[in-house]
């Protein structure tokens, strides 16, 4: 029965070696298959050309490879590419390749939909359907790496967990995927080139710090005033800013890594001087930098990008307080690939 077969990529290398020993084969066979599964990212057992037909049939009897399938590829006029990725159970997530002069970045999803309810984000409308497995996250990266080589003649240089979902609500699988991405047995990428973006789950930020992870942390802040933040990111009532701040202090103490705050400025919501002062105060807690990101309208609803003057006010006051700040232009807007626009529209 198809459905009884196990996902072979849920096995560790050791478990795969044990499987072969039990079958009367050499443990080393496990290493070979493991290399095909991860480093060579084989989609089928038949692709494993240095494995005998008999062994491939044995694997076929016991296991499946739940490889993702890139269903549709959309290409923006700015070079951004969006993949709609079909999972083995038919659900779909999206991932994005963002090329700039000096880097190509993969923006990958961690969940199908999202359990959080940020009012300005299209993914929130989908609700959370399920967590992605480590291999499903890994496959997205491999797919984007291939496209980067094909369309931009260079390998992928960076990864951001800023696609669909809240990575800290699927922490174990995200961590396993990152382990594979950074391992020489996987893609061998440096963790310094990986950024996990979270809406801010204090308990999990502390856990990450305890785990001494080596990748970077970004927090979607958007407001440093509890009342305002709760109105646009309702889960903030469960994880208020004081709690978030103390978890970030803990993170910095343990990792010594500066934090990036993502921040959209909206008309009438956080474009006041009071909002700016609150952000400045919040930024004093730990070394950080602020990325002001452009708002990508998801419908004709309640949110509207603030005026250039309001954004300039932010820049002026932050810089005066010696806080590093960048303004990030949107990419791939014409194909709904920009921040907050991932919603399986096509
Ligand atoms: N759940 C994670 C990662 C996904 S969202 C997080 O919250 O960080 C990636 C980034 O896009 C976040 O900073 C999010 O706040 C931002 N974002 C969401 N909707 C947006 C929109 N419509 N326009 C611009 N940025 C948006």
């Amino acid at each position: 029965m198809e459905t009884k077969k196990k996902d072979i990529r849920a096995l560790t290398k050791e478990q795969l070696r044990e499987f072969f020993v039990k079958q009367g084969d050499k443990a080393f066979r496990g290493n070979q298959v493991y290399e095909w599964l991860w480093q060579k990212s084989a989609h089928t057992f038949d692709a494993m050309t240095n494995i005998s037909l008999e062994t491939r049939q044995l694997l076929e009897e016991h296991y499946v490879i739940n490889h993702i399938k890139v269903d549709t590829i959309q290409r923006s006029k700015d070079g951004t590419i969006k993949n709609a990725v079909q999972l083995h159970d038919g659900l779909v997530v999206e991932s994005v390749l963002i090329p700039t002069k000096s880097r190509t970045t993969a923006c990958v999803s961690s969940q199908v939909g999202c359990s959080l309810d940020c009012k300005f984000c299209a993914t929130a409308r989908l609700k959370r359907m399920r967590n992605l497995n480590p291999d499903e996250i890994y496959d997205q990266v491999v797919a984007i790496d291939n496209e980067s080589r094909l369309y931009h003649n260079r390998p992928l240089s960076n990864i951001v967990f800023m696609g669909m979902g809240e990575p800290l609500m699927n922490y174990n699988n995200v961590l396993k995927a990152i382990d594979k991405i950074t391992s020489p047995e996987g893609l061998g990428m440096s963790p310094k080139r990986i950024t996990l973006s979270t809406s801010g789950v204090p308990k999990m930020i502390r856990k990450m710090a305890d785990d001494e992870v080596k990748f970077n942390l970004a927090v979607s802040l958007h407001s440093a005033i509890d009342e305002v933040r709760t109105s646009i990111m309702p889960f903030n009532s469960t994880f208020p800013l004081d709690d978030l701040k103390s978890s970030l202090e803990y993170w910095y103490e343990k990792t010594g890594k500066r934090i990036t705050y993502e921040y959209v400025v909206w008309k009438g919501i956080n474009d006041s001087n009071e909002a700016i002062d609150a952000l400045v105060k919040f930024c004093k807690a730990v070394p950080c930098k602020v990325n002001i990101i452009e708002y990508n309208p998801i419908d004709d609803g309640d949110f509207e990008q603030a005026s250039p003057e309001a954004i300039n006010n932010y820049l002026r006051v932050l810089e005066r307080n010696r806080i590093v700040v960048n303004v990030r232009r949107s990419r791939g807007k014409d194909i709904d690939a920009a921040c907050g626009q991932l919603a399986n529209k096509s």
Side-chain angles (χ1 to χ4, degrees):
M1 285 273 293
E2 281 293 315
T3 48
K4 289 253 171 68
K5 292 186 195 174
K6 281 199 205 128
D7 172 8
I8 190 164
R9 286 189 295 173
L11 301 184
T12 62
K13 190 170 170 183
E14 207 36 56
Q15 288 168 326
L16 206 51
R17 286 163 57 87
E18 280 163 21
F19 168 79
F20 281 107
V21 172
K22 266 197 206 123
Q23 300 290 333
D25 201 340
K26 296 192 184 72
F28 170 69
R29 198 76 57 225
N31 301 15
Q32 285 179 311
V33 171
Y34 194 83
E35 190 178 323
W36 276 109
L37 290 174
W38 294 105
Q39 217 165 13
K40 298 181 186 162
S41 197
H43 288 222
T44 62
F45 295 116
D46 274 339
M48 304 180 176
T49 45
N50 65 349
I51 307 290
S52 75
L53 182 62
E54 206 188 346
T55 306
R56 281 185 261 151
Q57 279 167 350
L58 177 79
L59 288 170
E60 199 85 54
E61 276 164 35
H62 287 81
Y63 297 110
V64 284
I65 303 175
N66 285 333
H67 214 285
I68 63 158
K69 206 175 111 223
V70 178
D71 218 28
T72 50
I73 301 178
Q74 282 174 279
R75 298 181 68 188
S76 159
K77 51 183 190 296
D78 68 15
T80 302
I81 294 174
K82 182 168 82 169
N83 290 341
V85 163
Q86 198 182 343
L87 309 173
H88 69 91
D89 55 3
L91 291 173
V92 175
V93 293
E94 294 175 331
S95 21
V96 183
L97 179 160
I98 308 148
T100 65
K101 254 201 201 112
S102 55
R103 47 172 79 173
T104 47
T105 302
C107 173
V108 299
S109 295
S110 56
Q111 299 181 309
V112 189
C114 189
S115 57
L116 301 181
D117 43 10
C118 304
K119 299 296 182 205
F120 46 82
C121 179
T123 309
R125 312 260 164 102
L126 295 175
K127 306 296 171 208
R128 189 197 78 101
M129 286 173 261
R130 72 167 172 86
N131 285 338
L132 293 189
N133 295 324
D135 49 279
E136 292 169 327
I137 297 169
Y138 183 83
D139 289 352
Q140 291 176 66
V141 175
V142 173
I144 299 267
D145 183 38
N146 290 336
E147 287 167 1
S148 178
R149 288 166 201 267
L150 180 67
Y151 296 112
H152 299 282
N153 296 313
R154 53 189 176 179
L156 184 65
S157 64
N158 296 72
I159 302 173
V160 293
F161 282 82
M162 294 187 191
M164 293 173 156
E166 169 48 53
L168 292 190
M169 297 285 196
N170 184 20
Y171 179 67
N172 288 337
N173 289 351
V174 167
L175 209 63
K176 279 186 193 159
I178 294 177
D179 277 348
K180 282 280 170 356
I181 293 164
T182 53
S183 155
E185 292 185 326
L187 296 177
M189 276 183 77
S190 165
K192 290 191 193 129
R193 296 183 166 273
I194 300 176
T195 300
L196 183 150
S197 173
T198 175
S199 48
V201 187
K203 191 173 96 190
M204 299 313 295
I205 291 171
R206 289 192 187 93
K207 169 100 175 78
M208 260 196 310
D210 286 336
D211 287 344
E212 293 176 12
V213 300
K214 299 283 183 283
F215 49 81
N216 304 298
L217 176 62
V219 175
S220 303
L221 192 60
H222 303 311
S223 171
I225 300 172
D226 267 316
E227 202 189 351
V228 177
R229 196 166 192 264
T230 299
S231 73
I232 55 175
M233 303 167 85
F235 64 87
N236 184 72
S237 61
T238 320
F239 313 122
L241 286 161
D242 262 349
D243 196 9
L244 177 61
K245 195 200 267 179
S246 79
S247 73
L248 296 173
E249 284 163 352
Y250 187 76
W251 161 272
Y252 187 74
E253 214 177 276
K254 286 258 171 172
T255 67
K257 273 181 172 294
R258 176 170 87 160
I259 293 157
T260 301
Y261 296 126
E262 291 149 278
Y263 204 97
V264 177
V265 188
W266 290 284
K267 195 171 274 178
I269 292 177
N270 57 357
D271 57 353
S272 64
N273 290 336
E274 191 198 353
I276 304 177
D277 293 342
L279 175 62
V280 167
K281 200 165 156 230
F282 194 90
C283 285
K284 300 259 156 91
V286 283
C288 63
K289 87 175 183 216
V290 176
N291 278 347
I292 296 198
I293 52 186
E294 211 180 300
Y295 176 55
N296 302 304
I298 55 168
D299 51 25
D300 52 10
D302 308 331
F303 292 90
E304 195 186 329
Q305 168 85 35
S307 66
E309 295 77 53
I311 297 194
N312 280 335
N313 275 344
Y314 263 94
L315 297 180
R316 209 167 29 83
V317 179
L318 288 170
E319 277 164 3
R320 200 200 306 135
N321 283 277
R322 295 177 204 285
I323 296 161
V324 182
V325 54
N326 291 303
V327 179
R328 286 289 163 96
R329 231 168 12 99
S330 280
R331 303 290 305 272
K333 250 190 188 175
D334 54 335
I335 55 167
D336 282 329
C339 284
Q341 292 189 315
L342 302 184
N344 294 343
K345 246 205 225 165
S346 43

